[in-house]
Amino acid sequence: MAVSPAPDELAGAAGPAAVEREDTGPDGLSDQEVAARVAGGLDNRTDAQSSRPLRDIVRANVMTPFNALLGVLAALVVVTGAFGDALFIVIVVFNSGIGIVQELRAKATLDRLAVLSQPRVRVRRSGAVAEVAVEAVVLDDLVVLRPGDQVPADCRARQVDGLEIDESLVTGESDPVAKQAGDAILSGSVAVAGSGTAQVTAVGASAFAARLTAEARRFSLTRSELNEGINRILTYVAIAIAIVGPILFVSQLGTAANWRDAVRGAVAGLVGMVPEGLVLLASLTFFAAALTLARRRVLVRELPAVEGLARVDVLCLDKTGTLTEGHITFAGVEPVGDGPADSALAALAADEAGNATVTALRQQFPTPPKGWEKVAGVAFTSARKWSAASYADQGTWVLGAPEMILPVGDSGGVARRVDQLASAGVRTLLLAQSHTPVGEQYALPPGLRPVALVTFEERIRDDAAETLRYFTAQGVALKVISGDNPATVEAVARRVDLPGDADPVDARRLPPDGPGLAEVVEKANVFGRVTPQQKRSMVGALQSGGHVVAMTGDGVNDALALKDADIGVAMGSGTAAARAVAQIVLLDSQFSVLPGVVAEGRRVIANVERVANLFLTKNVTSLVLALAVAVARWPFPFLPRHLTLISTVVIGVPGFFLALGPSNQRFTPGFVTRVLRFAVPAGVVAAVAVLIAYGLARAAHNSAPQAKTAATIVLFGVSLWILVIQARPMRPWKMALVAAMAALGGLAFAIPFGRRFYDLTIPSGLITLEALVLAAAGAVVIQLTSIWSMPRRSLASSP
């Protein structure tokens, strides 16, 4: 939970700078003054990037513990003079190069999309208001704030008109703070009501909350079961190498003819235990997913977010901007009392800092009425759900949610008419008048008298119903959460065929945080009159029940829930605050692209699991062989180049294509458990088959090269069948891939150059036949063990 800054921190954030600096003139800075500050480094640039810089990309792909281990092992082999056995280091270099190139491609795309989705800031310069990038804001700039704007740097309020700032994204305090001239405004906070101008007092890294706005665009990793699982696997492998490595070296020194053979045998065992391409191929799947989504105009701020969306089992939908197009249009005015409703609406529409409702009113009433001089006002907020303005000679006029304005027990039939309109899916507001001016406490004035019902219409997205059907078919629970009238939300939910119980829940009657809230949110699907803090609490309640929750939204009232959800999805047309905290931004605001994002996540999950099965099976095989030959005091049954052949042909190259191929496999938890359930028995079976073949060849007095070739035949055949299992369900491109790998491996045994290069000596006919039979038997046993391990994987058809 966020912690509020101490008073001295707040003072240090903007206080001293605000006192010492002179006020910028009302026209703002001139172009010359802006240029001088940029030249002096007084702009709002930070070191944050939407992706990792080049040096970090190279370091992450090259400077890994396993690469360092392989480098040392290669050096040991080179010392023995067997340069061909150091071939595995070329594969490491090749893998690292592919990883660097792919990530650079992803970086270029993500950086470009990050610029397109980057929030803009309104500043007043040389007497005119202009939009500039956040980084282009300079010290002493006059920032123009309107509802939904995220404050780009620490500021001091200069002119305010009902300006209220939500500092919860920075301080954790949920209540909006009314600002007066001279008050400090923290960077990263959000304007939720009113308007005003503020002078920038601190920029860049010196701003109090610069880290928050920077982190929203920085390359980072959200929680990922795949990443966590791979790290666990690598930890197991590292422990196994640390324990078995010394044992293997000692045993080989005692059994080999000379120290060179001992080194080569020990290195072969250790190389087989290193999953040199697993991390690379897992990363490639994330980058490939990011590039694919980028072509669909989806910005993935955190690469594993595509995996996260595939794991989601509850999707919370904001109605406006998600199920509807987000643009409301004026529908009509229905008088329910006496008063100049049209003139009042025209006066209210003159507020330049108004919300979408005011914008729609302005299109209908573009000319402000004469004689309506505004003397005070209360801006609209999602929590308050009404706005008000007092005029010198016309009294006070309030526009907002009818149930928030109407007196309890209204007997004039207005409430019944509101229910009728809301049930028809019409967004309805009440216009009421009072003769009492609004006060500084932002409370409804007494004596309010209903004057008219003002209706608006929202257009349902054409693709909303189809998209919801997709998520329902995938077992994802859908929750529509909106600040509108519950009956209106219910009508929209029924129009998009929301599955399940569409009976609405009025959030004003929801219990506070705790088991009571969790129980209601679990059962109900439609919620109206939800405040921003309640949205956040509802996400938390669902998470407390073990759900993986995604939240979609576009408004400032969605920012808290977007930030707390496991996956936040913001519309590109939404507010800066919503886009800043979301992991996924739909740049074209097309709700229909979400199924594609889920499909990419599933491809990542399924393909990383396939690749992990291939690599870990090899690691288990090498581990068992190392322990067995140490106990039996045999030379290791492979040379390093033998394992390089197998790692390349039946693991590395096909793993690359499988990692990037399409897949529709549904997500089920338990990545590490499933991988171990397959890889451990498969690796043990492969090792046993190799040991039998190796032992038979030694017993038949075949030479050491012949015995090792027999072991290589067995391991190649078994590994090829493991590749077949992981490639299922078979498609033409997968069959071609397996056939090509089998042909490449066969050429290494068949042609003289291949045999010389890989130091292969074909054993006697009987031993070769025994090796082939053992390979087939091992494949059969592994097939049977895979039947035991795979039902829990919930495989679906895969392209």
Side-chain angles (χ1 to χ4, degrees):
M1 183 175 180
V3 180
S4 302
D8 56 338
E9 289 179 301
L10 291 174
V19 172
E20 295 172 5
R21 302 198 65 83
E22 296 182 357
D23 286 350
T24 301
D27 290 338
L29 299 176
S30 65
D31 292 342
Q32 293 80 7
E33 289 172 321
V34 172
R37 284 165 171 76
V38 172
L42 299 179
D43 54 13
N44 205 34
R45 285 176 294 183
T46 65
D47 294 332
Q49 303 184 40
S50 60
S51 59
R52 294 190 287 189
L54 175 60
R55 63 180 181 277
D56 290 346
I57 291 174
V58 173
R59 184 185 302 116
N61 283 276
V62 176
M63 305 300 292
T64 67
F66 287 116
N67 279 2
L69 173 61
L70 290 172
V72 171
L73 295 178
L76 291 174
V77 172
V78 169
V79 170
T80 68
F83 298 102
D85 284 326
L87 186 63
F88 60 85
I89 200 65
V90 177
I91 305 301
V92 171
V93 174
F94 181 70
N95 286 344
S96 297
I98 291 176
I100 292 170
V101 171
Q102 289 283 21
E103 187 167 348
L104 286 175
R105 288 181 59 202
K107 169 183 167 62
T109 302
L110 293 176
D111 286 349
R112 183 169 62 252
L113 289 182
V115 171
L116 293 176
S117 69
Q118 192 177 53
R120 307 281 290 179
V121 181
R122 284 180 290 270
V123 296
R124 182 174 289 120
R125 293 175 178 174
S126 301
V129 176
E131 286 193 356
V132 300
V134 172
E135 288 78 6
V137 173
V138 300
L139 195 65
D140 296 324
D141 249 333
L142 287 184
V143 177
V144 179
L145 296 175
R146 294 176 183 172
D149 291 343
Q150 189 170 35
V151 181
D154 290 348
C155 299
R156 185 181 77 250
R158 289 286 301 278
Q159 294 178 329
V160 297
D161 182 7
L163 180 65
E164 295 183 47
I165 300 294
D166 184 344
E167 298 177 344
S168 57
L169 293 178
V170 179
T171 68
E173 298 296 334
S174 60
D175 294 332
V177 180
K179 296 294 183 180
Q180 305 298 327
D183 288 350
I185 303 177
L186 300 175
S187 60
S189 56
V190 179
V192 294
S195 61
T197 59
Q199 181 173 337
V200 175
T201 59
V203 291
S206 62
F208 175 74
R211 288 195 301 272
L212 181 138
T213 52
E215 283 294 335
R217 296 187 298 274
R218 181 176 298 167
F219 176 96
S220 59
L221 297 179
T222 191
R223 182 188 177 275
S224 165
E225 181 178 340
L226 290 183
N227 281 333
E228 292 175 356
I230 289 173
N231 288 336
R232 285 175 58 192
I233 290 172
L234 295 181
T235 300
Y236 299 155
V237 171
I239 293 173
I241 290 175
I243 296 173
V244 177
I247 298 174
L248 182 60
F249 265 114
V250 171
S251 69
Q252 294 302 292
L253 286 172
T255 59
N258 54 64
W259 69 271
R260 290 182 175 85
D261 289 345
V263 169
R264 294 168 68 191
V267 168
L270 292 179
V271 166
M273 294 169 60
V274 177
E276 65 274 3
L278 177 58
V279 176
L280 165 72
L281 291 179
S283 299
L284 285 182
T285 58
F286 283 127
F287 295 136
L291 289 173
T292 299
L293 294 176
R295 289 192 289 270
R296 301 175 188 170
R297 301 283 296 168
V298 177
L299 173 62
V300 180
R301 293 191 183 277
E302 302 181 10
L303 295 181
V306 292
E307 173 211 335
L309 192 57
R311 293 192 291 111
V312 163
D313 61 355
V314 176
L315 177 60
C316 297
L317 306 161
D318 177 53
K319 175 182 71 67
T320 304
T322 301
L323 299 180
T324 67
E325 292 185 346
H327 306 292
I328 63 172
T329 58
F330 176 84
V333 177
E334 183 176 318
V336 293
D338 297 328
D342 286 359
S343 296
L345 291 173
L348 292 171
D351 184 2
E352 291 292 336
N355 56 10
T357 301
V358 172
T359 301
L361 282 176
R362 192 180 305 123
Q363 294 175 349
Q364 180 68 23
F365 304 101
T367 305
K370 295 182 179 179
W372 288 65
E373 179 185 355
K374 182 178 177 180
V375 295
V378 177
F380 175 89
T381 66
S382 298
R384 215 170 11 239
K385 302 191 186 304
W386 56 267
S387 62
S390 296
Y391 301 93
D393 299 320
Q394 306 295 336
T396 296
W397 292 82
V398 178
L399 181 66
E403 60 270 31
M404 307 299 290
I405 300 173
L406 283 172
V408 177
D410 168 63
S411 58
V414 177
R416 288 194 300 273
R417 181 55 181 160
V418 168
D419 290 340
Q420 292 173 356
L421 292 171
S423 298
V426 179
R427 189 173 188 177
T428 307
L429 300 180
L430 174 64
L431 178 68
Q433 184 186 25
S434 172
H435 295 294
T436 304
V438 293
E440 295 183 356
Q441 300 302 316
Y442 293 164
L444 282 170
L448 280 172
R449 178 175 55 85
V451 174
L453 294 176
V454 188
T455 55
F456 301 85
E457 293 179 344
E458 294 181 89
R459 189 172 183 273
I460 302 291
R461 290 185 181 271
D462 295 334
D463 53 12
E466 182 180 355
T467 304
L468 295 187
R469 283 195 294 271
Y470 168 83
F471 281 108
T472 301
Q474 305 305 315
V476 178
L478 303 172
K479 311 284 182 182
V480 180
I481 302 174
S482 175
D484 282 351
N485 186 297
T488 303
V489 184
E490 176 193 16
V492 171
R494 293 190 185 280
R495 288 173 62 187
V496 296
D497 298 325
L498 183 76
D501 183 10
D503 292 337
V505 173
D506 191 327
R508 292 173 297 172
R509 294 191 287 272
L510 281 176
D513 290 349
L517 177 63
E519 182 179 357
V520 175
V521 175
E522 184 76 33
K523 293 180 179 179
N525 296 326
V526 178
F527 301 84
R529 293 303 178 212
V530 185
T531 66
Q533 186 59 42
Q534 282 180 312
K535 287 187 178 183
R536 184 184 204 178
S537 298
M538 292 166 75
V539 168
L542 289 166
Q543 290 171 327
S544 69
H547 294 290
V548 180
V549 182
M551 176 75 197
T552 69
D554 65 346
V556 63
N557 58 321
D558 302 316
L560 292 174
L562 287 170
K563 182 174 181 290
D564 282 4
D566 295 285
I567 299 295
V569 181
M571 300 295 168
S573 60
T575 61
R579 297 197 306 272
V581 298
Q583 291 100 332
I584 296 175
V585 180
L586 310 182
L587 295 179
D588 291 335
S589 302
Q590 295 295 320
F591 182 46
S592 58
V593 304
L594 274 184
V597 180
V598 173
E600 279 301 303
R602 289 181 171 175
R603 186 188 65 77
V604 168
I605 292 171
N607 291 345
V608 169
E609 187 167 324
R610 297 178 197 274
V611 171
N613 281 327
L614 291 175
F615 277 97
L616 197 60
T617 300
K618 182 199 72 169
N619 301 148
V620 172
T621 300
S622 295
L623 174 62
V624 174
L625 288 175
L627 291 173
V629 298
V631 172
R633 300 186 64 81
W634 285 357
F636 196 76
F638 301 108
L639 296 175
R641 66 186 71 186
H642 297 158
L643 293 178
T644 298
L645 169 65
I646 294 171
S647 296
T648 303
V649 175
V650 291
I651 298 177
V653 173
F656 176 83
F657 288 100
L658 290 177
L660 301 181
S663 176
N664 292 328
Q665 179 177 311
R666 292 189 183 184
F667 167 78
T668 51
F671 164 72
V672 173
T673 302
R674 283 195 304 274
V675 170
L676 293 176
R677 185 183 292 121
F678 175 85
V680 171
V684 171
V685 170
V688 170
V690 166
L691 288 170
I692 293 174
Y694 188 54
L696 289 174
R698 284 170 56 87
H701 304 292
N702 281 255
S703 65
Q706 288 176 321
K708 291 183 178 181
T709 300
T712 304
I713 292 172
V714 172
L715 185 57
F716 178 79
V718 171
S719 299
L720 189 64
W721 190 253
I722 292 172
L723 173 60
V724 170
I725 293 174
Q726 294 307 315
R728 290 173 180 168
M730 279 294 181
R731 295 292 183 265
W733 72 271
K734 292 181 180 178
M735 289 188 286
L737 175 65
V738 173
M741 295 302 101
L744 284 176
L747 286 175
F749 289 95
I751 63 177
F753 173 77
R755 291 196 297 271
R756 288 195 305 271
F757 187 82
Y758 287 106
D759 200 357
L760 297 170
T761 304
I762 303 300
S764 63
L766 178 61
I767 295 300
T768 300
L769 179 61
E770 290 174 346
L772 292 173
V773 170
L774 283 167
V780 171
V781 175
I782 290 175
Q783 177 64 47
L784 295 175
T785 61
S786 70
I787 294 173
W788 167 73
S789 66
M790 291 179 70
R792 297 172 176 83
R793 295 173 58 185
S794 302
L795 286 174
S797 61
S798 180

